[in-house]
Amino acid sequence: RARGGGGEPRWPPDETNTPIADAHGVIHHVTLSFLEQKDEVVGRGKEMATKVAIAVDALVFGQVYEEVFADAKRLCAADDKILNGKVTSFFENLSRERYEDILRDVSEPAVEALRYVSTKCHTAPDKLAMCVKALEYIDGNRGLNGDELLTRFIQHVIVMMRGPGEVVCIDEALHADLRMIEEFCQDDILCLGKEGYAMAIFQSGLMFLKSIPGESYGVEIWDFG
């Protein structure tokens, strides 16, 4: 990856001069410049290097987040439009009684955490950390297995996308959030522990939602009769 550790970005952009590509370059340059000046950091191992990388992300994205996220939204616009349309279709055909039943079985803190992924988190590690927090709220110390947690995650994503108002008005960019995470989280963060698990749940959840019609969400996700 573009941190000096070798490898290529997970999803390289088609163009070479885009905000995403530029951000990779800036992060790479700033990280290397810091490590070259601070030999003691290099000697303290991967944990310290990871902390440096996260700090550099915060520094860089504090300046360029809006431009980079707009680029991610552009690249993922087709997928997000399809998903938003399916969720809209589901809610437009859902009775108030069914919706109230759904709301009784969701964690409001989890819904808020998922909403914060886009609205409050301006670095990829922060977005991934918020996904972890949402899953912890969803699980609620019940020890849900993988299939149960995935189903509950999908349910909470759909509720989050509808929003709190009476009118169905969906304009989410979850695929863009996912792309930001995959582009800018370090591989060792993505592949280990609860962050890696959250990443897999996020990916699988969006893939499932794309794979079936919105009209089938009730049967496939909530087992409506």
Side-chain angles (χ1 to χ4, degrees):
R1 291 181 64 81
R3 302 245 186 212
E8 296 296 325
R10 186 174 300 273
W11 278 351
D14 295 330
E15 307 93 338
T16 57
N17 294 317
T18 67
I20 286 178
D22 290 345
H24 272 300
V26 172
I27 290 170
H28 176 66
H29 175 75
V30 174
T31 303
L32 285 183
S33 297
F34 181 84
L35 294 177
E36 286 172 357
Q37 298 296 320
K38 301 290 183 180
D39 291 339
E40 65 272 18
V41 173
V42 178
R44 293 175 66 179
K46 181 178 288 187
E47 182 179 354
M48 180 57 68
T50 296
K51 290 180 179 178
V52 170
I54 291 173
V56 171
D57 277 358
L59 175 65
V60 172
F61 282 109
Q63 302 297 318
V64 301
Y65 173 79
E66 295 298 335
E67 292 84 353
V68 176
F69 191 56
D71 196 28
K73 290 174 69 173
R74 175 183 65 84
L75 294 168
C76 299
D79 285 337
D80 280 322
K81 182 177 181 180
I82 290 170
L83 178 57
N84 292 347
K86 289 183 176 185
V87 175
T88 299
S89 175
F90 168 69
F91 279 117
E92 286 179 346
N93 292 281
L94 188 70
S95 69
R96 174 178 288 274
E97 290 75 17
R98 284 289 196 191
Y99 183 52
E100 290 175 351
D101 288 341
I102 286 172
L103 291 181
R104 292 189 188 98
D105 196 33
V106 300
S107 162
E108 284 298 326
V111 171
E112 283 302 300
L114 289 171
R115 187 169 291 122
Y116 285 172
V117 172
S118 281
T119 61
K120 302 291 186 180
C121 298
H122 290 173
T123 72
D126 283 350
K127 288 179 183 289
L128 186 54
M130 194 58 67
C131 289
V132 171
K133 187 177 291 292
L135 289 175
E136 290 173 346
Y137 284 133
I138 290 169
D139 181 76
N141 294 317
R142 289 174 293 176
L144 300 177
N145 65 39
D147 288 342
E148 292 170 334
L149 193 57
L150 175 59
T151 298
R152 297 286 289 144
F153 174 80
I154 291 170
Q155 292 171 351
H156 281 75
V157 165
I158 292 174
V159 171
M160 182 276 293
M161 291 181 69
R162 187 192 193 283
E166 291 293 324
V167 178
V168 178
C169 182
I170 295 170
D171 183 22
E172 296 292 338
L174 293 179
H175 287 89
D177 287 315
L178 179 60
R179 178 140 188 177
M180 289 284 290
I181 293 170
E182 292 196 343
E183 283 279 358
F184 294 105
C185 274
Q186 295 187 96
D187 288 335
D188 55 351
I189 294 177
L190 280 179
C191 296
L192 297 176
K194 57 188 178 181
E195 288 83 9
Y197 192 55
M199 184 73 199
I201 292 288
F202 197 173
Q203 290 172 318
S204 299
L206 293 192
M207 288 176 62
F208 181 81
L209 287 170
K210 281 181 58 183
S211 70
I212 60 175
E215 294 82 359
S216 300
Y217 283 0
V219 173
E220 297 290 342
I221 299 171
W222 277 278
D223 198 25
F224 292 166

